[in-house]
Amino acid sequence: MFLDPAQIRAGLQELAAARPGPIAVLGGVAGLLYGTRRLTADLDVLALSPLSGFPHGSPLALHDDSMRGYSSETRAGIPLDVLLPGPALRALAVEAIKAARVAPESPVPVLRAEHWAAFKLMAARGKDEDDLKAAIKTGHLDPVVAR
């Protein structure tokens, strides 16, 4: 099941109100701000440590040990994936979260396009490549940055 805009807003508002620590939105929700038109089934957040106030669900299956994470949900039942950097990506994650911006569409900071692209490139899934192409096509991402 995919999230509708009201569910996305509600989940982001709950995250913002909880103030669980330094976080930034990435994944499909960030992609919507950068020109993708793909549906998403959850909220993805990058965090430096597990989020307080959000229960740990099952571990996420990620492609390597550079990232780890777990599934959770908001009190309203909106699916939430929490991504935590491993040692190799910690500096990038700290930089990305510090540089994240609050957009009118999101009360939680959103990764800047270049950081969002870096994490998309690392995930290396077909849909990530499609998302990057859409962001370039719509002018939200410089093609040089995406290389």
PDB file of all heavy atoms in Angstrom, residues 71-107:
ATOM      1  N   SER A  71      12.990  -1.153  10.576  1.00  0.00           N
ATOM      2  CA  SER A  71      11.665  -0.630  10.272  1.00  0.00           C
ATOM      3  C   SER A  71      10.994  -0.237  11.581  1.00  0.00           C
ATOM      4  O   SER A  71      11.277  -0.790  12.637  1.00  0.00           O
ATOM      5  CB  SER A  71      10.832  -1.670   9.520  1.00  0.00           C
ATOM      6  OG  SER A  71      10.640  -2.801  10.334  1.00  0.00           O
ATOM      7  N   SER A  72      10.127   0.739  11.491  1.00  0.00           N
ATOM      8  CA  SER A  72       9.373   1.209  12.637  1.00  0.00           C
ATOM      9  C   SER A  72       8.062   1.751  12.101  1.00  0.00           C
ATOM     10  O   SER A  72       7.710   1.517  10.946  1.00  0.00           O
ATOM     11  CB  SER A  72      10.168   2.301  13.383  1.00  0.00           C
ATOM     12  OG  SER A  72       9.509   2.672  14.578  1.00  0.00           O
ATOM     13  N   GLU A  73       7.348   2.454  12.938  1.00  0.00           N
ATOM     14  CA  GLU A  73       6.148   3.152  12.470  1.00  0.00           C
ATOM     15  C   GLU A  73       5.844   4.282  13.436  1.00  0.00           C
ATOM     16  O   GLU A  73       6.273   4.285  14.590  1.00  0.00           O
ATOM     17  CB  GLU A  73       4.958   2.222  12.319  1.00  0.00           C
ATOM     18  CG  GLU A  73       4.464   1.574  13.566  1.00  0.00           C
ATOM     19  CD  GLU A  73       3.273   0.664  13.307  1.00  0.00           C
ATOM     20  OE1 GLU A  73       3.154   0.078  12.219  1.00  0.00           O
ATOM     21  OE2 GLU A  73       2.430   0.557  14.215  1.00  0.00           O
ATOM     22  N   THR A  74       5.103   5.249  12.926  1.00  0.00           N
ATOM     23  CA  THR A  74       4.671   6.349  13.770  1.00  0.00           C
ATOM     24  C   THR A  74       3.500   5.878  14.631  1.00  0.00           C
ATOM     25  O   THR A  74       2.945   4.807  14.399  1.00  0.00           O
ATOM     26  CB  THR A  74       4.225   7.550  12.921  1.00  0.00           C
ATOM     27  OG1 THR A  74       3.032   7.189  12.219  1.00  0.00           O
ATOM     28  CG2 THR A  74       5.310   7.982  11.934  1.00  0.00           C
ATOM     29  N   ARG A  75       3.113   6.682  15.598  1.00  0.00           N
ATOM     30  CA  ARG A  75       1.954   6.316  16.427  1.00  0.00           C
ATOM     31  C   ARG A  75       0.693   6.173  15.575  1.00  0.00           C
ATOM     32  O   ARG A  75      -0.202   5.414  15.907  1.00  0.00           O
ATOM     33  CB  ARG A  75       1.741   7.362  17.528  1.00  0.00           C
ATOM     34  CG  ARG A  75       2.759   7.265  18.647  1.00  0.00           C
ATOM     35  CD  ARG A  75       2.452   8.206  19.791  1.00  0.00           C
ATOM     36  NE  ARG A  75       2.319   9.599  19.417  1.00  0.00           N
ATOM     37  CZ  ARG A  75       3.334  10.444  19.231  1.00  0.00           C
ATOM     38  NH1 ARG A  75       4.579  10.024  19.413  1.00  0.00           N
ATOM     39  NH2 ARG A  75       3.129  11.697  18.896  1.00  0.00           N
ATOM     40  N   ALA A  76       0.640   6.900  14.472  1.00  0.00           N
ATOM     41  CA  ALA A  76      -0.508   6.820  13.566  1.00  0.00           C
ATOM     42  C   ALA A  76      -0.422   5.597  12.637  1.00  0.00           C
ATOM     43  O   ALA A  76      -1.294   5.399  11.799  1.00  0.00           O
ATOM     44  CB  ALA A  76      -0.614   8.101  12.746  1.00  0.00           C
ATOM     45  N   GLY A  77       0.650   4.792  12.776  1.00  0.00           N
ATOM     46  CA  GLY A  77       0.782   3.583  11.975  1.00  0.00           C
ATOM     47  C   GLY A  77       1.415   3.780  10.611  1.00  0.00           C
ATOM     48  O   GLY A  77       1.341   2.896   9.759  1.00  0.00           O
ATOM     49  N   ILE A  78       2.058   4.913  10.401  1.00  0.00           N
ATOM     50  CA  ILE A  78       2.704   5.168   9.114  1.00  0.00           C
ATOM     51  C   ILE A  78       4.075   4.489   9.115  1.00  0.00           C
ATOM     52  O   ILE A  78       4.884   4.717  10.024  1.00  0.00           O
ATOM     53  CB  ILE A  78       2.808   6.678   8.854  1.00  0.00           C
ATOM     54  CG1 ILE A  78       1.385   7.236   8.747  1.00  0.00           C
ATOM     55  CG2 ILE A  78       3.629   6.971   7.604  1.00  0.00           C
ATOM     56  CD1 ILE A  78       1.266   8.713   8.791  1.00  0.00           C
ATOM     57  N   PRO A  79       4.342   3.629   8.123  1.00  0.00           N
ATOM     58  CA  PRO A  79       5.620   2.918   8.079  1.00  0.00           C
ATOM     59  C   PRO A  79       6.811   3.876   8.000  1.00  0.00           C
ATOM     60  O   PRO A  79       6.784   4.877   7.283  1.00  0.00           O
ATOM     61  CB  PRO A  79       5.517   2.064   6.812  1.00  0.00           C
ATOM     62  CG  PRO A  79       4.057   1.959   6.537  1.00  0.00           C
ATOM     63  CD  PRO A  79       3.466   3.252   7.026  1.00  0.00           C
ATOM     64  N   LEU A  80       7.845   3.522   8.748  1.00  0.00           N
ATOM     65  CA  LEU A  80       9.038   4.351   8.860  1.00  0.00           C
ATOM     66  C   LEU A  80      10.256   3.447   8.775  1.00  0.00           C
ATOM     67  O   LEU A  80      10.339   2.450   9.492  1.00  0.00           O
ATOM     68  CB  LEU A  80       8.997   5.074  10.216  1.00  0.00           C
ATOM     69  CG  LEU A  80      10.181   5.905  10.634  1.00  0.00           C
ATOM     70  CD1 LEU A  80      10.323   7.134   9.728  1.00  0.00           C
ATOM     71  CD2 LEU A  80      10.001   6.358  12.088  1.00  0.00           C
ATOM     72  N   ASP A  81      11.179   3.762   7.871  1.00  0.00           N
ATOM     73  CA  ASP A  81      12.455   3.052   7.804  1.00  0.00           C
ATOM     74  C   ASP A  81      13.536   4.000   8.308  1.00  0.00           C
ATOM     75  O   ASP A  81      13.663   5.134   7.814  1.00  0.00           O
ATOM     76  CB  ASP A  81      12.793   2.612   6.381  1.00  0.00           C
ATOM     77  CG  ASP A  81      11.995   1.389   5.940  1.00  0.00           C
ATOM     78  OD1 ASP A  81      11.336   0.764   6.800  1.00  0.00           O
ATOM     79  OD2 ASP A  81      12.038   1.066   4.746  1.00  0.00           O
ATOM     80  N   VAL A  82      14.288   3.561   9.295  1.00  0.00           N
ATOM     81  CA  VAL A  82      15.356   4.352   9.885  1.00  0.00           C
ATOM     82  C   VAL A  82      16.681   3.783   9.386  1.00  0.00           C
ATOM     83  O   VAL A  82      16.987   2.606   9.619  1.00  0.00           O
ATOM     84  CB  VAL A  82      15.294   4.301  11.423  1.00  0.00           C
ATOM     85  CG1 VAL A  82      16.421   5.124  12.033  1.00  0.00           C
ATOM     86  CG2 VAL A  82      13.935   4.794  11.918  1.00  0.00           C
ATOM     87  N   LEU A  83      17.443   4.610   8.672  1.00  0.00           N
ATOM     88  CA  LEU A  83      18.731   4.197   8.121  1.00  0.00           C
ATOM     89  C   LEU A  83      19.839   4.798   8.970  1.00  0.00           C
ATOM     90  O   LEU A  83      19.850   6.005   9.246  1.00  0.00           O
ATOM     91  CB  LEU A  83      18.858   4.658   6.671  1.00  0.00           C
ATOM     92  CG  LEU A  83      17.808   4.066   5.740  1.00  0.00           C
ATOM     93  CD1 LEU A  83      17.791   4.776   4.412  1.00  0.00           C
ATOM     94  CD2 LEU A  83      18.066   2.585   5.556  1.00  0.00           C
ATOM     95  N   LEU A  84      20.767   3.950   9.382  1.00  0.00           N
ATOM     96  CA  LEU A  84      21.874   4.349  10.249  1.00  0.00           C
ATOM     97  C   LEU A  84      23.191   4.068   9.525  1.00  0.00           C
ATOM     98  O   LEU A  84      23.406   2.954   9.049  1.00  0.00           O
ATOM     99  CB  LEU A  84      21.819   3.565  11.555  1.00  0.00           C
ATOM    100  CG  LEU A  84      20.510   3.683  12.329  1.00  0.00           C
ATOM    101  CD1 LEU A  84      20.388   2.577  13.363  1.00  0.00           C
ATOM    102  CD2 LEU A  84      20.410   5.051  12.971  1.00  0.00           C
ATOM    103  N   PRO A  85      24.087   5.054   9.449  1.00  0.00           N
ATOM    104  CA  PRO A  85      25.344   4.822   8.730  1.00  0.00           C
ATOM    105  C   PRO A  85      26.289   3.936   9.525  1.00  0.00           C
ATOM    106  O   PRO A  85      26.354   4.020  10.753  1.00  0.00           O
ATOM    107  CB  PRO A  85      25.927   6.232   8.588  1.00  0.00           C
ATOM    108  CG  PRO A  85      25.417   6.952   9.798  1.00  0.00           C
ATOM    109  CD  PRO A  85      24.029   6.396  10.023  1.00  0.00           C
ATOM    110  N   GLY A  86      27.024   3.104   8.807  1.00  0.00           N
ATOM    111  CA  GLY A  86      28.127   2.378   9.404  1.00  0.00           C
ATOM    112  C   GLY A  86      29.324   3.315   9.484  1.00  0.00           C
ATOM    113  O   GLY A  86      29.262   4.468   9.031  1.00  0.00           O
ATOM    114  N   PRO A  87      30.431   2.849  10.038  1.00  0.00           N
ATOM    115  CA  PRO A  87      31.608   3.717  10.197  1.00  0.00           C
ATOM    116  C   PRO A  87      32.088   4.360   8.897  1.00  0.00           C
ATOM    117  O   PRO A  87      32.485   5.528   8.889  1.00  0.00           O
ATOM    118  CB  PRO A  87      32.668   2.775  10.772  1.00  0.00           C
ATOM    119  CG  PRO A  87      31.893   1.697  11.452  1.00  0.00           C
ATOM    120  CD  PRO A  87      30.638   1.526  10.644  1.00  0.00           C
ATOM    121  N   ALA A  88      32.030   3.632   7.791  1.00  0.00           N
ATOM    122  CA  ALA A  88      32.527   4.158   6.516  1.00  0.00           C
ATOM    123  C   ALA A  88      31.699   5.335   6.000  1.00  0.00           C
ATOM    124  O   ALA A  88      32.210   6.179   5.256  1.00  0.00           O
ATOM    125  CB  ALA A  88      32.566   3.048   5.473  1.00  0.00           C
ATOM    126  N   LEU A  89      30.426   5.407   6.379  1.00  0.00           N
ATOM    127  CA  LEU A  89      29.547   6.466   5.870  1.00  0.00           C
ATOM    128  C   LEU A  89      29.173   7.504   6.929  1.00  0.00           C
ATOM    129  O   LEU A  89      28.408   8.417   6.655  1.00  0.00           O
ATOM    130  CB  LEU A  89      28.277   5.863   5.284  1.00  0.00           C
ATOM    131  CG  LEU A  89      28.448   5.066   4.002  1.00  0.00           C
ATOM    132  CD1 LEU A  89      27.119   4.532   3.525  1.00  0.00           C
ATOM    133  CD2 LEU A  89      29.096   5.918   2.925  1.00  0.00           C
ATOM    134  N   ARG A  90      29.711   7.366   8.127  1.00  0.00           N
ATOM    135  CA  ARG A  90      29.309   8.267   9.214  1.00  0.00           C
ATOM    136  C   ARG A  90      29.599   9.727   8.869  1.00  0.00           C
ATOM    137  O   ARG A  90      28.748  10.589   9.077  1.00  0.00           O
ATOM    138  CB  ARG A  90      30.002   7.878  10.513  1.00  0.00           C
ATOM    139  CG  ARG A  90      29.606   8.800  11.645  1.00  0.00           C
ATOM    140  CD  ARG A  90      29.152   8.026  12.834  1.00  0.00           C
ATOM    141  NE  ARG A  90      28.778   8.945  13.897  1.00  0.00           N
ATOM    142  CZ  ARG A  90      27.582   8.998  14.415  1.00  0.00           C
ATOM    143  NH1 ARG A  90      26.649   8.185  13.987  1.00  0.00           N
ATOM    144  NH2 ARG A  90      27.299   9.829  15.375  1.00  0.00           N
ATOM    145  N   ALA A  91      30.772  10.035   8.357  1.00  0.00           N
ATOM    146  CA  ALA A  91      31.118  11.432   8.041  1.00  0.00           C
ATOM    147  C   ALA A  91      30.173  12.003   6.982  1.00  0.00           C
ATOM    148  O   ALA A  91      29.722  13.149   7.099  1.00  0.00           O
ATOM    149  CB  ALA A  91      32.570  11.538   7.591  1.00  0.00           C
ATOM    150  N   LEU A  92      29.869  11.214   5.957  1.00  0.00           N
ATOM    151  CA  LEU A  92      28.926  11.665   4.927  1.00  0.00           C
ATOM    152  C   LEU A  92      27.549  11.900   5.533  1.00  0.00           C
ATOM    153  O   LEU A  92      26.888  12.897   5.229  1.00  0.00           O
ATOM    154  CB  LEU A  92      28.844  10.652   3.789  1.00  0.00           C
ATOM    155  CG  LEU A  92      27.795  10.951   2.710  1.00  0.00           C
ATOM    156  CD1 LEU A  92      28.083  12.271   2.011  1.00  0.00           C
ATOM    157  CD2 LEU A  92      27.725   9.809   1.711  1.00  0.00           C
ATOM    158  N   ALA A  93      27.106  10.996   6.406  1.00  0.00           N
ATOM    159  CA  ALA A  93      25.784  11.145   7.025  1.00  0.00           C
ATOM    160  C   ALA A  93      25.721  12.392   7.903  1.00  0.00           C
ATOM    161  O   ALA A  93      24.737  13.130   7.862  1.00  0.00           O
ATOM    162  CB  ALA A  93      25.437   9.898   7.836  1.00  0.00           C
ATOM    163  N   VAL A  94      26.769  12.638   8.675  1.00  0.00           N
ATOM    164  CA  VAL A  94      26.806  13.842   9.516  1.00  0.00           C
ATOM    165  C   VAL A  94      26.725  15.088   8.631  1.00  0.00           C
ATOM    166  O   VAL A  94      25.934  16.002   8.886  1.00  0.00           O
ATOM    167  CB  VAL A  94      28.078  13.866  10.397  1.00  0.00           C
ATOM    168  CG1 VAL A  94      28.276  15.236  11.043  1.00  0.00           C
ATOM    169  CG2 VAL A  94      28.012  12.778  11.458  1.00  0.00           C
ATOM    170  N   GLU A  95      27.528  15.125   7.578  1.00  0.00           N
ATOM    171  CA  GLU A  95      27.509  16.261   6.650  1.00  0.00           C
ATOM    172  C   GLU A  95      26.130  16.427   6.016  1.00  0.00           C
ATOM    173  O   GLU A  95      25.595  17.539   5.928  1.00  0.00           O
ATOM    174  CB  GLU A  95      28.557  16.036   5.554  1.00  0.00           C
ATOM    175  CG  GLU A  95      28.541  17.083   4.455  1.00  0.00           C
ATOM    176  CD  GLU A  95      29.468  16.722   3.305  1.00  0.00           C
ATOM    177  OE1 GLU A  95      30.577  16.229   3.562  1.00  0.00           O
ATOM    178  OE2 GLU A  95      29.061  16.947   2.148  1.00  0.00           O
ATOM    179  N   ALA A  96      25.540  15.310   5.576  1.00  0.00           N
ATOM    180  CA  ALA A  96      24.235  15.354   4.902  1.00  0.00           C
ATOM    181  C   ALA A  96      23.143  15.858   5.837  1.00  0.00           C
ATOM    182  O   ALA A  96      22.309  16.679   5.443  1.00  0.00           O
ATOM    183  CB  ALA A  96      23.877  13.972   4.361  1.00  0.00           C
ATOM    184  N   ILE A  97      23.137  15.395   7.074  1.00  0.00           N
ATOM    185  CA  ILE A  97      22.112  15.827   8.030  1.00  0.00           C
ATOM    186  C   ILE A  97      22.301  17.306   8.389  1.00  0.00           C
ATOM    187  O   ILE A  97      21.331  18.058   8.461  1.00  0.00           O
ATOM    188  CB  ILE A  97      22.108  14.912   9.276  1.00  0.00           C
ATOM    189  CG1 ILE A  97      21.563  13.531   8.887  1.00  0.00           C
ATOM    190  CG2 ILE A  97      21.281  15.518  10.399  1.00  0.00           C
ATOM    191  CD1 ILE A  97      21.714  12.473   9.974  1.00  0.00           C
ATOM    192  N   LYS A  98      23.552  17.729   8.579  1.00  0.00           N
ATOM    193  CA  LYS A  98      23.816  19.150   8.896  1.00  0.00           C
ATOM    194  C   LYS A  98      23.397  20.061   7.757  1.00  0.00           C
ATOM    195  O   LYS A  98      22.925  21.173   7.993  1.00  0.00           O
ATOM    196  CB  LYS A  98      25.293  19.366   9.210  1.00  0.00           C
ATOM    197  CG  LYS A  98      25.692  18.915  10.579  1.00  0.00           C
ATOM    198  CD  LYS A  98      27.154  19.247  10.847  1.00  0.00           C
ATOM    199  CE  LYS A  98      27.566  18.782  12.223  1.00  0.00           C
ATOM    200  NZ  LYS A  98      28.990  19.037  12.480  1.00  0.00           N
ATOM    201  N   ALA A  99      23.567  19.608   6.518  1.00  0.00           N
ATOM    202  CA  ALA A  99      23.249  20.436   5.348  1.00  0.00           C
ATOM    203  C   ALA A  99      21.788  20.329   4.929  1.00  0.00           C
ATOM    204  O   ALA A  99      21.335  21.095   4.065  1.00  0.00           O
ATOM    205  CB  ALA A  99      24.140  20.029   4.170  1.00  0.00           C
ATOM    206  N   ALA A 100      21.044  19.402   5.519  1.00  0.00           N
ATOM    207  CA  ALA A 100      19.641  19.206   5.134  1.00  0.00           C
ATOM    208  C   ALA A 100      18.850  20.489   5.354  1.00  0.00           C
ATOM    209  O   ALA A 100      19.180  21.297   6.218  1.00  0.00           O
ATOM    210  CB  ALA A 100      19.035  18.056   5.937  1.00  0.00           C
ATOM    211  N   ARG A 101      17.824  20.666   4.552  1.00  0.00           N
ATOM    212  CA  ARG A 101      17.036  21.897   4.619  1.00  0.00           C
ATOM    213  C   ARG A 101      15.583  21.578   4.956  1.00  0.00           C
ATOM    214  O   ARG A 101      15.076  20.509   4.612  1.00  0.00           O
ATOM    215  CB  ARG A 101      17.102  22.644   3.295  1.00  0.00           C
ATOM    216  CG  ARG A 101      16.515  21.853   2.149  1.00  0.00           C
ATOM    217  CD  ARG A 101      16.675  22.568   0.815  1.00  0.00           C
ATOM    218  NE  ARG A 101      16.085  21.785  -0.250  1.00  0.00           N
ATOM    219  CZ  ARG A 101      14.813  21.837  -0.596  1.00  0.00           C
ATOM    220  NH1 ARG A 101      13.986  22.624   0.020  1.00  0.00           N
ATOM    221  NH2 ARG A 101      14.362  21.105  -1.601  1.00  0.00           N
ATOM    222  N   VAL A 102      14.946  22.513   5.622  1.00  0.00           N
ATOM    223  CA  VAL A 102      13.513  22.382   5.871  1.00  0.00           C
ATOM    224  C   VAL A 102      12.805  23.002   4.672  1.00  0.00           C
ATOM    225  O   VAL A 102      13.042  24.150   4.330  1.00  0.00           O
ATOM    226  CB  VAL A 102      13.095  23.072   7.188  1.00  0.00           C
ATOM    227  CG1 VAL A 102      11.590  23.035   7.354  1.00  0.00           C
ATOM    228  CG2 VAL A 102      13.772  22.392   8.372  1.00  0.00           C
ATOM    229  N   ALA A 103      11.995  22.206   4.022  1.00  0.00           N
ATOM    230  CA  ALA A 103      11.252  22.659   2.850  1.00  0.00           C
ATOM    231  C   ALA A 103       9.829  22.986   3.276  1.00  0.00           C
ATOM    232  O   ALA A 103       9.341  22.463   4.277  1.00  0.00           O
ATOM    233  CB  ALA A 103      11.240  21.551   1.796  1.00  0.00           C
ATOM    234  N   PRO A 104       9.140  23.839   2.522  1.00  0.00           N
ATOM    235  CA  PRO A 104       7.747  24.135   2.864  1.00  0.00           C
ATOM    236  C   PRO A 104       6.883  22.876   2.942  1.00  0.00           C
ATOM    237  O   PRO A 104       5.938  22.819   3.713  1.00  0.00           O
ATOM    238  CB  PRO A 104       7.273  25.034   1.717  1.00  0.00           C
ATOM    239  CG  PRO A 104       8.511  25.597   1.117  1.00  0.00           C
ATOM    240  CD  PRO A 104       9.593  24.578   1.348  1.00  0.00           C
ATOM    241  N   GLU A 105       7.261  21.854   2.185  1.00  0.00           N
ATOM    242  CA  GLU A 105       6.490  20.616   2.143  1.00  0.00           C
ATOM    243  C   GLU A 105       6.817  19.666   3.291  1.00  0.00           C
ATOM    244  O   GLU A 105       6.153  18.654   3.470  1.00  0.00           O
ATOM    245  CB  GLU A 105       6.753  19.869   0.819  1.00  0.00           C
ATOM    246  CG  GLU A 105       6.427  20.653  -0.420  1.00  0.00           C
ATOM    247  CD  GLU A 105       7.605  21.514  -0.917  1.00  0.00           C
ATOM    248  OE1 GLU A 105       8.567  21.759  -0.153  1.00  0.00           O
ATOM    249  OE2 GLU A 105       7.545  21.945  -2.061  1.00  0.00           O
ATOM    250  N   SER A 106       7.868  19.949   4.067  1.00  0.00           N
ATOM    251  CA  SER A 106       8.306  19.010   5.097  1.00  0.00           C
ATOM    252  C   SER A 106       8.796  19.726   6.346  1.00  0.00           C
ATOM    253  O   SER A 106       9.750  20.500   6.268  1.00  0.00           O
ATOM    254  CB  SER A 106       9.435  18.124   4.561  1.00  0.00           C
ATOM    255  OG  SER A 106       9.932  17.296   5.592  1.00  0.00           O
ATOM    256  N   PRO A 107       8.201  19.448   7.495  1.00  0.00           N
ATOM    257  CA  PRO A 107       8.689  20.037   8.740  1.00  0.00           C
ATOM    258  C   PRO A 107       9.963  19.367   9.257  1.00  0.00           C
ATOM    259  O   PRO A 107      10.575  19.835  10.197  1.00  0.00           O
ATOM    260  CB  PRO A 107       7.521  19.818   9.711  1.00  0.00           C
ATOM    261  CG  PRO A 107       6.845  18.591   9.209  1.00  0.00           C
ATOM    262  CD  PRO A 107       6.997  18.642   7.710  1.00  0.00           C
TER     263      PRO A 107
END
